[in-house]
Amino acid sequence: MKHLDTWIERWQQGDERAAEAIYNAHRDPTFRLAYGLLANREDAEEVAQDALTYALVNIRRFDPSRAKFTTWLHTITVSRCRDKRRRKLLPSFSLTGLLQKGGDITDYEPLPESVTTTRETKSQVWEAVQRLKRPYREAVILRYWSGHTYREMAEILGCPVPTAQSRVRLAYTQLKTDLSEAVLENFNLDLIE
Amino acid sequence: MTHLTDTTLNGYIHHTLTDAERESIDVHLAECTSCRSRTQEAERLQRHIHQSLTAEIRAVQPSAKMTFTAVTPALHRRRWAGFQFNALQVLSTIGTMAVIAVIATLAFYIIQQRNEQPFGSSPLGQMRDSRVFFGQEWTDPTPYQSGLIRSEQAALDLLATAPIYHMDLTLSDDLRRVNGRQDLRFTNNSSSGLTDLYFHLLPNLVNHSLTIRGVNINGEAVNWELVENGRYLRIYLPYTTAPGEQFVVSMDFVLQLVGSNRGFNGTLGNIEDVLTLAHFHPMLVAMQNGQWDLTPTVHGLGNLTDNSFYQVRVNAPEPLTILSNGLEIRRALITEESITRQNITLAAGPVNQFFLTASNQFNTVISETVGETTINSYAEADYLRRDAQTALTITASALSVYNAEFGTY
């Protein structure tokens, strides 16, 4: 995006109006990415604002010839989201062993409040995605919502490309199972009536 | 072609198959109704997931508090050095640290009741015994003594608090891959409690690949992640580490050198079968006033790390000439299944990085001694002897000037 490159260059030289332009262009998308990962509006806002602040403050660390700005910004956002969830769910869980084949990839942590309190109105897909364990939820949001390539996802998540691919595939399989069970449940309820 | 399995179908709709696989599936789908309808159903589910997520996420707006104006104070406070915390993050960090500090203090008292610990106890458990790794204690100065001239032996006092790396490296036959294991004896030399550690993963900055596995502290697995596109390794400490506390951080790593990439002015790469390794392993980030110094590097790489000690065991092909800023303190040849390799141990410190270069082409050696330092200049062949001589002369002159101005190197 030509404008963005110019804004970045100008902000790297200290023009605060360029910083504002960068902020405005990425405010909503960053918030939404955080919301997809955290399912809580206040947390998402805090994390997004934090990520945008960090990116703007450290803009000189960003090299436009070597990476896309959104990829960098999303890497920061995902990292902050992980921090946020970690702090809320002490003691933290181990990150090892999540990719063991045949392992359960759904999460038995309590669901974030926004999902449980408005259960009737939130879609089943949303609930099913939020039930996935962190690496799989991240993979789904980054692929199905943000539309990142696997290469970008690998950068953002800090994993190899094949890992990013397998997380998306496994998440899809789990969602498919979850969603077809939900459909079955509704079907039975209809019968009981 | 046989019908699509679930796995193949999954790969197909997610575009993770090779072009060849994809083409052959396309051919099958053109002919097979049942596979075609299964594929369409799967793609429908994908669309459903995408649309539901979109509807859900787009329905939410950030509040009016999320403005650029709220960000400007941080932008004005911006300096070259490191992170900017917003008030909320600082408060929540302090709150969490207070809780962890209480737990850590209790744990500390409990552990203190137990038997004398030979290496000192800490809330992070007994420090890993390095005798298993190198046959001597962390602070034993013997390996480093021959690397320092007599008047500088006092520098070994730094062993009490400086970072100490014990590394095991295996160089692949093609000199493009390094499998490593590193133990770092870390001391919190700041006056603040620490909740995380940062390591430079510099090869990732110049398109080589440095991957990390199995991070643990005193033998216990810990949470970690890569940040900033693999530029740093960030480790979350299980408890706040008090000033003066020590522990051992271990990890496995694999460095894969990519192409003829010369990274950092030719100091990290394999160029015409000469391997150069500088900043090639996870290096502890320097600390400034209790904060990790994560400033970007623009010119030169001088202030990345604090002065450290290194003991490095290198398993490499034989024959191979290995040169390093560490002194060779042990050498052995090991033959396994009729393949002979060399195993050498190098020790360096205090230095701000560990460097090594290796090649089968260091054939010609010429030397000169200045003060208490011997300079060796290596060249691939005799016809390059003049260049090697020039390099030697320049280095010798520089060293003479250094000795005159600053004292013996």
Side-chain angles (χ1 to χ4, degrees):
Chain A
M1 186 173 146
K2 233 177 101 186
H3 286 307
L4 183 58
D5 282 352
T6 317
W7 291 336
I8 290 171
E9 206 181 287
R10 285 218 225 111
W11 172 228
Q12 283 174 334
Q13 284 154 9
D15 182 356
E16 210 173 287
R17 290 166 307 172
E20 188 167 4
I22 297 170
Y23 178 93
N24 290 339
H26 293 93
R27 172 190 182 254
D28 283 10
T30 309
F31 165 82
R32 294 205 166 108
L33 172 61
Y35 181 73
L37 294 172
L38 298 171
N40 176 297
R41 190 150 145 292
E42 275 155 7
D43 288 351
E45 201 172 295
E46 186 188 324
V47 163
Q49 192 78 325
D50 192 15
L52 286 160
T53 307
Y54 179 85
L56 290 174
V57 165
N58 293 286
I59 197 67
R60 287 193 200 144
R61 236 186 264 198
F62 174 71
D63 183 1
S65 67
R66 224 185 254 135
K68 271 172 68 178
F69 180 77
T70 43
T71 306
W72 184 53
L73 181 56
H74 287 183
T75 308
I76 299 165
T77 309
V78 169
S79 166
R80 294 283 190 275
C81 285
R82 287 172 177 173
D83 283 351
K84 191 82 198 164
R85 269 195 96 97
R86 202 180 122 258
R87 290 209 166 98
K88 281 200 142 182
L89 297 165
L90 283 172
S92 47
F93 50 88
S94 168
L95 292 177
T96 56
L98 281 171
L99 287 177
Q100 285 162 5
K101 288 202 174 115
D104 187 356
I105 67 168
T106 51
D107 220 337
Y108 296 106
E109 300 165 8
L111 290 172
E113 37 188 336
S114 66
V115 179
T116 49
T117 52
T118 56
R119 213 179 170 86
E120 309 83 50
T121 53
K122 297 282 184 189
S123 80
Q124 283 162 349
V125 169
W126 176 252
E127 281 184 18
V129 168
Q130 293 305 320
R131 266 198 300 273
L132 294 172
K133 274 189 168 145
R134 182 192 55 80
Y136 303 96
R137 188 175 59 249
E138 285 175 351
V140 168
I141 297 293
L142 288 173
R143 181 78 180 169
Y144 278 82
W145 159 248
S146 304
H148 280 292
T149 64
Y150 290 113
R151 192 159 294 270
E152 287 164 354
M153 283 176 67
E155 263 185 57
I156 293 169
L157 299 173
C159 68
V161 168
T163 306
Q165 290 173 337
S166 83
R167 284 183 193 174
V168 170
R169 288 196 305 262
L170 286 170
Y172 170 83
T173 308
Q174 183 63 44
L175 288 174
K176 186 171 165 211
T177 313
D178 249 7
L179 292 171
S180 47
E181 275 170 13
V183 165
L184 210 57
E185 222 175 62
N186 291 335
F187 182 67
N188 287 336
L189 282 172
D190 286 336
L191 279 183
I192 290 166
E193 280 293 295
Chain B
M1 188 196 141
T2 51
H3 294 297
L4 262 55
T5 60
D6 278 350
T7 315
T8 317
L9 176 55
N10 198 339
Y12 181 85
I13 61 168
H14 285 108
H15 303 273
T16 60
L17 301 176
T18 63
D19 284 350
E21 290 168 331
R22 198 182 175 79
E23 275 163 21
S24 100
I25 290 175
D26 282 339
V27 165
H28 176 76
L29 287 178
E31 299 160 349
C32 173
T33 342
S34 76
C35 283
R36 198 161 55 234
S37 89
R38 276 173 63 214
T39 308
Q40 283 165 351
E41 198 186 302
E43 285 169 346
R44 245 197 312 274
L45 177 56
Q46 274 190 318
R47 277 196 297 278
H48 177 57
I49 294 172
H50 172 70
Q51 280 158 7
S52 295
L53 282 179
T54 305
E56 210 60 68
I57 295 176
R58 287 239 172 98
V60 194
Q61 301 287 342
S63 78
K65 284 184 297 176
M66 190 173 172
T67 59
F68 178 71
T69 318
V71 159
T72 46
L75 300 185
H76 296 157
R77 273 197 315 269
R78 148 184 98 130
R79 294 182 307 271
W80 268 105
F83 273 32
Q84 301 294 330
F85 287 97
N86 66 34
L88 258 135
Q89 196 173 350
V90 172
L91 285 173
S92 75
T93 308
I94 290 172
T96 312
M97 274 173 64
V99 171
I100 290 173
V102 170
I103 296 173
T105 314
L106 286 172
F108 184 76
Y109 274 119
I110 291 168
I111 290 169
Q112 284 284 59
Q113 306 303 327
R114 293 190 190 160
N115 308 334
E116 263 309 281
Q117 309 288 353
F119 297 101
S121 62
S122 75
L124 292 164
Q126 187 178 348
M127 197 153 48
R128 164 88 81 52
D129 185 345
S130 89
R131 278 181 286 199
V132 172
F133 203 59
F134 266 90
Q136 62 203 177
E137 291 187 27
W138 285 102
T139 52
D140 182 350
T142 326
Y144 312 102
Q145 279 164 346
S146 2
L148 292 169
I149 60 178
R150 213 186 350 244
S151 53
E152 295 296 328
Q153 293 288 315
L156 294 175
D157 290 344
L158 285 172
L159 276 167
T161 54
I164 305 177
Y165 292 85
H166 284 179
M167 283 203 272
D168 243 331
L169 303 177
T170 303
L171 308 184
S172 64
D173 287 335
D174 65 359
L175 297 185
R176 292 192 150 273
R177 190 178 165 94
V178 179
N179 281 69
R181 159 82 191 280
Q182 113 182 347
D183 282 1
L184 165 66
R185 198 290 308 267
F186 171 81
T187 310
N188 181 2
N189 292 318
S190 76
S191 50
S192 345
L194 294 180
T195 52
D196 50 21
L197 294 184
Y198 281 88
F199 286 78
H200 296 285
L201 300 180
L202 286 165
N204 293 334
L205 194 62
V206 290
N207 295 317
H208 290 304
S209 156
L210 179 58
T211 47
I212 309 291
R213 285 199 273 271
V215 180
N216 64 69
I217 290 182
N218 287 356
E220 308 250 343
V222 286
N223 289 344
W224 58 273
E225 62 183 356
L226 302 186
V227 296
E228 292 192 31
N229 302 327
R231 167 73 177 79
Y232 294 102
L233 162 66
R234 180 181 185 182
I235 298 176
Y236 294 99
L237 299 177
Y239 299 104
T240 302
T241 304
E245 235 186 282
Q246 296 182 325
F247 53 77
V248 176
V249 192
S250 304
M251 62 190 79
D252 295 319
F253 61 90
V254 179
L255 170 69
Q256 180 67 51
L257 297 173
V258 175
S260 53
N261 197 338
R262 302 178 80 100
F264 305 119
N265 298 320
T267 58
L268 179 61
N270 179 319
I271 300 125
E272 291 169 8
D273 292 321
V274 177
L275 170 67
T276 52
L277 295 177
H279 336 98
F280 63 96
H281 66 103
M283 298 167 73
L284 185 69
V285 171
M287 183 157 276
Q288 189 97 320
N289 300 327
Q291 284 216 13
W292 296 105
D293 189 355
L294 297 165
T295 48
T297 51
V298 179
H299 302 294
L301 296 160
N303 293 321
L304 292 180
T305 57
D306 295 315
N307 273 341
S308 312
F309 290 83
Y310 288 86
Q311 263 192 79
V312 183
R313 195 158 52 195
V314 183
N315 176 300
E318 166 70 17
L320 187 70
T321 306
I322 296 175
L323 308 170
S324 167
N325 68 336
L327 209 67
E328 188 181 298
I329 58 174
R330 221 171 286 131
R331 164 175 281 279
L333 285 180
I334 300 175
T335 307
E336 243 177 272
E337 290 173 28
S338 70
I339 295 174
T340 303
R341 288 192 131 238
Q342 57 179 308
N343 209 299
I344 69 171
T345 305
L346 304 156
V351 286
N352 75 353
Q353 61 162 299
F354 177 80
F355 170 82
L356 89 72
T357 179
S359 172
N360 271 319
Q361 296 167 41
F362 293 143
N363 298 320
T364 305
V365 184
I366 42 181
S367 303
E368 197 174 313
T369 304
V370 178
E372 296 188 46
T373 307
T374 301
I375 308 166
N376 294 322
S377 186
Y378 292 81
E380 191 178 320
D382 264 358
Y383 71 85
L384 291 167
R385 183 178 254 274
R386 210 171 42 159
D387 293 334
Q389 180 64 62
T390 310
L392 183 62
T393 309
I394 294 171
T395 310
S397 307
L399 196 48
S400 300
V401 171
Y402 183 98
N403 286 345
E405 292 283 328
F406 300 110
T408 314
Y409 177 76

